[in-house]
Amino acid sequence: MENSELLSVSDLNVKFELKNLDVEAVKGTSFCIKKGETLAIVGESGSGKSVTAMSIMRLNDFTKSAKTSGSIKLRQKDGSIIDLSVQTQTQMREIRGNELAMIFQEPMSALNPILNVETQLTEAILMHHDVSKDEAKKRAVDLLNKVRIPEAKNQMKRYPHQLSGGMRQRVMIAMALSSNPSLLIADEPTTALDVTIQAQIINLLKALQAETGMSVLFITHDMGVVAETADRVIVMYKGDIVESGNCRDVFHSPQHSYTKKLISSVPRLGSMAGEKNPKKFDLDENSPKTHKNIQETQAAHFDQERKNKDPFLKVKNLQKLFYVKNYFTKTEGNVHAVDNIDLDIFEGETVSLVGESGCGKSTTGRTLIQLEQQTSGSIFFEGRDLASMTKNEIFEIKKSMQMVFQDPFSSLNPRIRIGDAIAEPIYVHKFVPKSDVPNRVKYLLDVVELGSSFIDRYPHELSGGQRQRVCIARALSCNPRLIIADEAVSALDVSIQAQVVNLLIDLQSEFNFSYLFISHDMSVVERISHRVAVMYLGKIVEIGKRSEIFGNPQHDYTKKLLAAVPIADPDKRKSTIILNSDEIPSPMKPFGYVSPKSQMEKVSDTHFFQVN
């Protein structure tokens, strides 16, 4: 190893020996990471990015089918060089945290569900530092404040299931940073975060690097984040490194055909200027033209048709409160997760819901589909109030309203094969005759770019992106009228993300589906939306046509969201101010508090923003 190198990986091979076949996940990979450097690994879901990271941490050892070979040398803080591949797990336990730390892709599966945030954070601190429990708790609160978790002291007693996806990810980041590691391996660390928090986490990692000289191995599918953070880039495809080099060189003059495809798939903010309706990505081999005429016809008449129709889903004064109780079960306050919102969705349109992690986006989606009961307000589906329906009527409605959840790992049953998971709603709703179900499952796997070979696999055998595609296939199983997509493409790399967005647009063109598209990725939102609603602390603070929100934002929070979007160009790196945690007011209110109705100012017939 050269003196400037912190980590050197030589001829790394990882093979998974399964019952029916052997999968070569990583094939002879070699690379190095220098001190204080940020190296980004990008590539297809299942290309071997996460397996490479798990091999460095020696976590593949706990998978019986994994066979690993090669050399992984690390320069420790004291200057000594060790080969991680020959260390015992007892030795690795000391190395993890002190020398190496990892932020995992799925925080819900990485955090212990039966331990609260305080226990898990202080455990990491106490394991590697000789401090008292009180000092460990104080450090834990400081770490939560550092990653901008509101009400950090109060969040310490909460459990993972009580936090939003973005807040769980921030807890994971705080835990990884607790011992100031020399190398931080970040596996999709900003996937679950909205753009404002994402920008701040990126800045936080940059500041920590400048302060401590820490190196970062960044695994991501977000090319904007790569352009914003990376010094060097490695592109992986099917276990091989197909291209590597300086960040600017890879972005401006990619050599390999797969790298070129990746760069062309990146959604760029502002690329939809002048476009009235959603537009597919230009992917030569992945852009089916069978729906083109349907899409153009629909686009030409969409606005006129909407004027002549009533919304098939109408939300009026919707409110969802969560009650906070003390040890004596007395209600101390209410969390106003959804706070008196109005929302209409018309047939064949995509309404995107964007906003801060924990602002109520997912709760809104779950309440619309009746996974959560609203505290007050009305939800009308095809003119009928869901609150007045019987259980059988709600059951029938749920065939027409499906949801793609934010965390694919927790939304799939680990004991059920992929084919059976997709077939289940088809059997339950008797969508097709039993004899046709296998063909329907194969068709759905094909349209989400997986194929029938996945039918007999289990969720743990798939990458995060592949699991998300299974969830999308399951949601499409009964041709619903409304799909609530909660971060439906957040776990996908950019090329697959582009294909799935194209697929959603195609399906909408052919079958006239509607989507409530919940996302933090403003570039994807701009590409797929007809209208956009911006949510902040449980309220919709601005709503309008996509062109109006992106071209003429009125509310201060909308402007902040758009300003925080990373640009997929290394020459346009920007410095985003890290906001103080006290700038996020708490959504918790005293018991009995009645929230005032938002006063909306009209900009145009379709564009409104909150003024109070």
Side-chain angles (χ1 to χ4, degrees):
M1 288 177 68
E2 296 179 11
N3 287 334
S4 62
E5 291 179 1
L6 177 70
L7 183 84
S8 176
V9 177
S10 301
D11 197 28
L12 178 65
N13 291 273
V14 184
K15 181 190 290 186
F16 291 94
E17 297 179 352
L18 307 178
K19 285 184 179 179
N20 301 324
L21 76 162
D22 291 347
V23 177
E24 291 186 75
V26 180
K27 307 171 186 175
T29 296
S30 298
F31 62 89
C32 68
I33 302 175
K34 296 178 181 178
K35 293 177 183 177
E37 178 184 49
T38 299
L39 175 68
I41 300 181
V42 298
E44 201 94 354
S45 294
S47 66
K49 309 187 300 293
S50 295
V51 173
T52 300
M54 299 283 273
S55 299
I56 295 170
M57 295 290 288
R58 290 283 305 281
L59 295 175
N60 281 332
D61 294 13
F62 299 102
T63 304
K64 289 183 179 179
S65 62
K67 304 298 178 186
T68 305
S69 63
S71 169
I72 307 169
K73 292 183 179 179
L74 173 72
R75 188 183 303 276
Q76 298 189 98
K77 290 176 181 176
D78 62 8
S80 61
I81 297 172
I82 57 170
D83 190 342
L84 297 178
S85 61
V86 298
Q87 304 297 306
T88 66
Q89 281 300 328
T90 303
Q91 292 169 321
M92 285 302 301
R93 200 171 294 122
E94 281 297 315
I95 294 168
R96 295 187 201 111
N98 277 331
E99 305 286 350
L100 303 171
M102 186 167 178
I103 304 166
F104 294 92
Q105 185 173 358
E106 290 175 350
M108 192 61 192
S109 57
L111 292 170
N112 191 325
I114 64 170
L115 299 179
N116 62 24
V117 170
E118 179 184 298
T119 303
Q120 298 190 61
L121 259 179
T122 54
E123 180 184 41
I125 295 166
L126 290 169
M127 181 174 286
H128 298 289
H129 299 278
D130 185 18
V131 296
S132 65
K133 284 189 177 181
D134 288 340
E135 179 63 25
K137 287 179 184 178
K138 186 180 177 183
R139 287 195 189 186
V141 173
D142 289 342
L143 285 165
L144 293 183
N145 280 320
K146 214 169 195 178
V147 295
R148 197 175 173 243
I149 286 185
E151 301 281 319
K153 207 167 187 177
N154 294 334
Q155 304 294 353
M156 291 276 281
K157 296 297 182 184
R158 304 188 78 183
Y159 290 84
H161 72 274
Q162 295 174 308
L163 304 175
S164 69
M167 292 191 43
R168 286 195 290 264
Q169 189 65 286
R170 281 179 269 171
V171 170
M172 280 295 307
I173 293 169
M175 198 179 299
L177 298 175
S178 61
S179 295
N180 295 324
S182 300
L183 174 63
L184 177 65
I185 301 173
D187 188 0
E188 304 282 6
T190 59
T191 294
L193 307 182
D194 59 275
V195 287
T196 53
I197 303 299
Q198 175 180 270
Q200 290 152 21
I201 293 299
I202 289 171
N203 275 15
L204 173 63
L205 293 176
K206 285 181 180 177
L208 287 166
Q209 273 186 291
E211 181 183 327
T212 65
M214 176 179 68
S215 299
V216 178
L217 177 60
F218 221 111
I219 297 170
T220 183
H221 62 261
D222 190 328
M223 299 301 282
V225 171
V226 173
E228 196 74 37
T229 61
D231 299 308
R232 287 190 300 121
V233 179
I234 288 174
V235 182
M236 289 189 76
Y237 181 66
K238 293 186 176 178
D240 288 315
I241 293 178
V242 296
E243 187 163 351
S244 65
N246 179 277
C247 185
R248 285 181 172 80
D249 295 339
V250 171
F251 271 85
H252 295 315
S253 55
Q255 301 300 308
H256 195 273
S257 58
Y258 177 67
T259 312
K260 293 176 182 177
K261 178 186 171 186
L262 270 183
I263 301 297
S264 68
S265 301
V266 177
R268 299 177 189 276
L269 202 64
S271 62
M272 293 289 287
E275 299 283 348
K276 283 188 67 179
N277 291 280
K279 183 180 178 183
K280 297 199 297 183
F281 289 94
D282 296 323
L283 305 175
D284 296 336
E285 68 274 23
N286 295 312
S287 293
K289 298 179 181 178
T290 52
H291 305 297
K292 185 177 179 183
N293 291 334
I294 301 172
Q295 186 181 348
E296 289 177 349
T297 303
Q298 186 200 37
H301 299 291
F302 179 78
D303 284 341
Q304 187 59 41
E305 286 180 357
R306 199 181 71 175
K307 287 178 183 177
N308 299 332
K309 288 183 179 179
D310 292 325
F312 80 92
L313 184 78
K314 189 175 183 68
V315 177
K316 194 73 176 170
N317 296 328
L318 182 65
Q319 187 177 56
K320 176 61 183 176
L321 306 181
F322 291 100
Y323 301 103
V324 180
K325 298 184 178 182
N326 61 17
Y327 290 111
F328 303 101
T329 69
K330 182 181 178 182
T331 302
E332 292 185 328
N334 300 322
V335 174
H336 288 237
V338 181
D339 203 357
N340 285 317
I341 68 167
D342 297 339
L343 185 66
D344 296 337
I345 300 179
F346 291 83
E347 188 174 15
E349 81 164 339
T350 300
V351 176
S352 288
L353 197 58
V354 299
E356 198 100 349
S357 294
C359 72
K361 306 188 302 293
S362 296
T363 303
T364 299
R366 292 173 65 86
T367 306
L368 293 182
I369 207 169
Q370 295 294 282
L371 292 176
E372 299 279 0
Q373 292 297 315
Q374 68 262 37
T375 305
S376 62
S378 303
I379 304 170
F380 294 93
F381 185 82
E382 295 179 329
R384 301 171 64 197
D385 190 348
L386 297 188
S388 65
M389 292 186 182
T390 65
K391 286 185 178 179
N392 289 337
E393 288 173 327
I394 291 288
F395 177 79
E396 283 300 313
I397 288 291
K398 285 186 176 180
K399 181 170 68 175
S400 300
M401 298 169 69
Q402 290 292 314
M403 189 164 184
V404 180
F405 294 93
Q406 183 173 358
D407 189 341
F409 190 82
S410 60
S411 64
L412 290 171
N413 190 326
R415 296 182 178 182
I416 294 180
R417 290 182 175 90
I418 296 306
D420 294 333
I422 296 172
E424 186 176 21
I426 304 174
Y427 283 122
V428 168
H429 292 289
K430 300 177 182 177
F431 184 69
V432 297
K434 284 187 177 181
S435 58
D436 292 341
V437 172
N439 289 334
R440 176 73 177 168
V441 170
K442 289 177 183 176
Y443 163 74
L444 290 166
L445 284 170
D446 284 338
V447 298
V448 294
E449 304 287 334
L450 287 177
S452 57
S453 64
F454 283 77
I455 286 176
D456 291 325
R457 296 193 192 182
Y458 288 90
H460 72 271
E461 297 177 298
L462 276 59
S463 70
Q466 289 168 340
R467 284 195 286 264
Q468 190 64 290
R469 281 179 271 167
V470 169
C471 293
I472 292 169
R474 183 175 60 180
L476 295 171
S477 59
C478 295
N479 283 354
R481 290 194 63 194
L482 173 67
I483 292 178
I484 299 171
D486 188 359
E487 305 285 5
V489 297
S490 66
L492 308 181
D493 59 272
V494 286
S495 59
I496 300 300
Q497 182 184 79
Q499 293 169 29
V500 171
V501 169
N502 286 359
L503 170 68
L504 293 176
I505 293 172
D506 274 342
L507 289 168
Q508 187 177 59
S509 299
E510 185 171 5
F511 301 109
N512 221 22
F513 292 152
S514 297
Y515 299 105
L516 178 64
F517 192 80
I518 299 169
S519 179
H520 63 266
D521 191 331
M522 300 297 284
S523 302
V524 173
V525 165
E526 185 185 31
R527 177 68 68 156
I528 200 172
S529 308
H530 289 97
R531 288 189 297 137
V532 178
V534 181
M535 204 165 182
Y536 182 64
L537 286 176
K539 293 181 180 291
I540 290 178
V541 297
E542 188 162 3
I543 186 167
K545 288 183 180 179
R546 185 257 307 147
S547 58
E548 294 170 329
I549 298 297
F550 284 86
N552 185 29
Q554 297 295 313
H555 197 276
D556 288 343
Y557 181 68
T558 310
K559 294 174 183 177
K560 285 180 184 176
L561 275 182
L562 294 173
V565 176
I567 301 169
D569 186 344
D571 291 335
K572 295 181 180 177
R573 290 187 180 180
K574 56 192 175 186
S575 177
T576 308
I577 297 171
I578 301 178
L579 300 177
N580 296 322
S581 59
D582 59 8
E583 290 195 29
I584 310 176
S586 172
M588 183 170 161
K589 305 295 181 186
F591 180 68
Y593 174 82
V594 178
S595 181
K597 181 73 176 176
S598 298
Q599 297 297 314
M600 305 294 281
E601 184 168 314
K602 181 177 178 181
V603 181
S604 70
D605 289 340
T606 54
H607 188 187
F608 301 86
F609 72 99
Q610 181 182 301
V611 291
N612 64 331

